[in-house]
Amino acid sequence: MSDILPDFIDELAALMREAGAEPLVDQLANLRIESVCDCGDENCSSFATAAVVKVHNAVELPAMEGFLIIDLNAANEICFIEVLNRPDIKYLLEEHYPSAPPQS
């Protein structure tokens, strides 16, 4: 994730500290994007950071732009990052994870 979204990781770390979720910051360096959300919402740039996503808890971050929620599994590990209304993140994800062509 750090090679595709380095500035976003820095932003997440700062917002986690601000939200009192500092223990989660250490996980950011090792996160990998496992899959990009395919919900079809043009404002969605969410992605999974675990092969299996089972949300147990969530932390809403006080973003200045867009909407950011960190989803945690039962082990308190980041498993999904919900990103809405962030065209900058959407653009970067689309550059690295192009969507499949529509089925005819």
Side-chain angles (χ1 to χ4, degrees), residues 3-53:
D3 56 334
I4 298 169
L5 303 170
D7 294 335
F8 186 57
I9 288 178
D10 292 342
E11 178 183 351
L12 287 175
L15 292 171
M16 286 174 175
R17 288 183 185 99
E18 188 177 329
E22 193 158 345
L24 299 176
V25 172
D26 292 339
Q27 293 183 37
L28 292 174
N30 298 318
L31 289 180
R32 295 178 44 85
I33 297 173
E34 295 292 333
S35 62
V36 176
C37 183
D38 61 357
C39 70
D41 183 331
E42 67 182 46
N43 295 312
C44 181
S45 306
S46 302
F47 52 91
T49 57
V52 176
V53 176

Side-chain angles (χ1 to χ4, degrees), residues 4-5 36 87-99:
I4 298 169
L5 303 170
V36 176
D88 56 329
I89 303 304
K90 186 168 188 69
Y91 172 79
L92 291 170
L93 289 175
E94 287 176 347
E95 286 290 305
H96 289 87
Y97 301 96
S99 58

Side-chain angles (χ1 to χ4, degrees), residues 59-80:
V59 177
E60 186 173 341
L61 299 179
M64 294 294 288
E65 179 185 354
F67 187 66
L68 302 173
I69 295 178
I70 305 298
D71 292 332
L72 307 169
N73 62 20
N76 227 26
E77 297 167 337
I78 299 170
C79 61
F80 197 84

